[in-house]
Amino acid sequence: MNNAISRPLILAMGLAFPASHIVLGIFNLDMLLSPWPALLAMGICVALMVVVTMPASDRGLSRRNAVITVAGTALMDVLVQSVLPTGIHPGYAAWHCGAIQMLLVTVALRKQIGLAWLGIGIFSVLDFSGSMLHRLSPVDGLALVVTPLMWIGIAHAVSRVFGRCDVLVRNYEDQEKRSAARIAREHARWLSQNDWVTELEHATKPTLTKVATGNLDASDRADCGYLQDELRDQVRGRVLATPPVLKSARAARERGVAVEIFDDREAALPDAVQQEALAQLIGALDRAESGFVKARALPRGQEIAVTILAYDENTPDDEFYLEVREQPEGADGARVVH
């Protein structure tokens, strides 16, 4: 928005106003001792108009272009001063004063305030000295430089306002992004909770209906126990409690295996680590005939991401222990240590 507002202002200051001063100077060439230095200064002015207004896509001006503008305006002042009449006020023959002030105002608006003040300072010294050499009164000499100085002061103030607007706009955009992210998280949490409630209702409603009617046989009571274990796995196991794992865990419990799944990480696992851990956990659950299977996702920041321990009472010498580790940063995949 800042660029959209300031761009027309930059074009007006850097193109329209200097061009109008050039026109005034052309109509007053007869007052000069020679028109050629003034015409050369007009050519320099046209070139500087392009320098201070390009590129069109950014309000900032490069330091190189600002330095070129300062040097060019100083040369313009020297050229025009060299042919001004002596002993009389030059009027619009001193067209360069207005053109220089607008070029330097554009430099200030385009965030090169220090160089704009340097340029107007050089202009003020050269122009006032030239006025004294042309035997103008100190008042007339000051009149030619005071207005450009005031314009640079105004441009400085406007540029600071634009700068504050930039800060406010960036802060507003940051707040908007944070608000959007917070709303998205809340919406995702709400959807997740709704999905969880829907899945919970779907999983528990048949069993709860049987409990309510009191018609429970041994098989139904066992199903209640398996359902309770599955819900506990989802609450405590989180990242490891995927549907395939829950299915294998139930089948293992039906065979008499004690299954415990914990998530102490409370954050997502890297894809490669999760895929390897889930594959190893499902394999351990499917192989188990008795004993226990314990899986744990360890807190974030540790080299070991997941541990799996399986013990089968039928084969006590074949205890199974496995660690799934994260690869160092920049490497792909997961490391498995038996």
Side-chain angles (χ1 to χ4, degrees):
M1 184 178 71
N2 186 2
N3 285 343
I5 293 173
S6 60
R7 190 61 197 166
L9 180 61
I10 289 171
L11 293 176
M13 295 295 181
L15 294 179
F17 284 116
S20 65
H21 287 292
I22 290 175
V23 172
L24 291 172
I26 290 173
F27 281 105
N28 289 272
L29 287 175
D30 57 326
M31 292 185 62
L32 302 176
L33 301 178
S34 170
W36 302 113
L39 291 174
L40 177 58
M42 291 177 186
I44 294 172
C45 184
V46 171
L48 294 180
M49 287 161 59
V50 176
V51 170
V52 298
T53 56
M54 295 298 178
S57 59
D58 183 13
R59 188 164 73 85
L61 182 68
S62 69
R63 180 173 294 273
R64 183 191 64 179
N65 284 6
V67 170
I68 291 173
T69 303
V70 170
T73 53
L75 181 57
M76 284 172 56
D77 190 47
V78 170
L79 288 171
V80 178
Q81 284 286 342
S82 68
V83 291
L84 288 179
T86 301
I88 62 172
H89 192 283
Y92 284 115
W95 60 273
H96 66 297
C97 295
I100 288 172
Q101 85 179 13
M102 290 305 167
L103 291 171
L104 295 175
V105 162
T106 306
V107 171
L109 290 177
R110 299 196 67 184
K111 305 180 183 180
Q112 293 290 350
I113 297 174
L115 287 171
W117 278 112
L118 174 63
I120 206 66
I122 294 173
F123 161 79
S124 299
V125 172
L126 291 176
D127 204 78
F128 186 77
S129 300
S131 297
M132 295 301 95
L133 291 175
H134 289 91
R135 297 200 298 273
L136 294 182
S137 69
V139 174
D140 288 338
L142 286 173
L144 291 173
V145 299
V146 167
T147 299
L149 285 169
M150 291 176 59
W151 270 96
I152 295 298
I154 294 171
H156 190 168
V158 171
S159 185
R160 293 190 65 179
V161 170
F162 277 136
R164 286 196 294 270
C165 289
D166 282 339
V167 173
L168 292 174
V169 168
R170 284 196 297 269
N171 290 340
Y172 175 78
E173 289 176 346
D174 290 341
Q175 292 175 1
E176 187 177 25
K177 290 177 181 177
R178 287 195 296 269
S179 297
R182 177 179 55 80
I183 292 172
R185 287 194 300 270
E186 291 177 354
H187 184 63
R189 188 180 301 112
W190 179 80
L191 290 176
S192 178
Q193 290 173 348
N194 279 359
D195 290 343
W196 165 252
V197 170
T198 301
E199 292 176 5
L200 184 62
E201 181 181 8
H202 178 74
T204 60
K205 187 174 181 179
T207 302
L208 292 176
T209 301
K210 292 182 180 181
V211 172
T213 59
N215 298 322
L216 293 175
D217 55 22
S219 176
D220 294 330
R221 294 179 186 279
D223 286 338
C224 287
Y226 297 142
L227 178 59
Q228 177 181 327
D229 291 335
E230 181 176 329
L231 295 176
R232 185 184 298 113
D233 289 341
Q234 292 183 47
V235 172
R236 299 191 305 183
R238 288 180 293 269
V239 71
L240 297 177
T242 61
V245 169
L246 295 176
K247 181 179 178 181
S248 293
R250 175 164 183 148
R253 287 187 175 111
E254 290 175 352
R255 296 193 300 271
V257 180
V259 179
E260 294 182 356
I261 302 174
F262 298 97
D263 178 8
D264 296 329
R265 185 181 181 88
E266 299 183 352
L269 287 165
D271 290 341
V273 174
Q274 185 173 26
Q275 290 175 13
E276 181 64 32
L278 294 180
Q280 295 288 349
L281 176 55
I282 291 171
L285 290 169
D286 291 343
R287 291 190 301 269
E289 296 296 336
S290 62
F292 62 81
V293 175
K294 297 182 180 181
R296 185 182 299 272
L298 300 181
R300 184 169 41 183
Q302 299 189 32
E303 182 183 4
I304 302 173
V306 178
T307 61
I308 300 172
L309 174 63
Y311 175 78
D312 193 330
E313 296 173 349
N314 296 328
T315 55
D317 295 333
D318 294 334
E319 182 179 282
F320 175 82
Y321 176 73
L322 177 141
E323 295 175 352
V324 181
R325 306 189 180 196
E326 295 189 44
Q327 288 280 22
E329 186 175 353
D332 296 328
R335 289 183 292 164
V336 178
V337 179
H338 293 272

